[in-house]
Amino acid sequence: MKAQHAALCVEEAEVTVKELRAALERAGNTLPSLRIDPAILAREAPCPRVGRGGCSIEVATRLAAAPR
């Protein structure tokens, strides 16, 4: 049961990362390192975290100015 739950969590996280990447791209931003943190996947029961990675100052400025 735990393995099945973990697999669903990872799958859900992958979909979320794809959706976030698409939303950022629509807004003219790219985070090349955006991904699921691979270290978390090594755990027995992974609880995925999104690694945002680095970005240029230009992208950081646009993200900071994004409407809330």
Side-chain angles (χ1 to χ4, degrees):
M1 177 104 168
K2 283 185 181 181
Q4 188 176 33
H5 174 73
L8 288 174
C9 287
V10 171
E11 188 175 310
E12 192 173 286
E14 289 172 344
V15 169
T16 300
V17 167
K18 287 179 187 176
E19 290 173 350
L20 177 56
R21 182 176 287 118
L24 287 167
E25 287 175 2
R26 284 192 301 273
N29 299 299
T30 301
L31 297 179
S33 302
L34 184 67
R35 61 183 165 69
I36 296 174
D37 183 350
I40 298 300
L41 299 177
R43 293 177 44 188
E44 183 178 327
C47 180
R49 296 174 50 99
V50 175
R52 295 170 309 279
C55 66
S56 69
I57 296 298
E58 180 184 333
V59 170
T61 300
R62 286 196 307 263
L63 291 172
R68 296 174 190 219

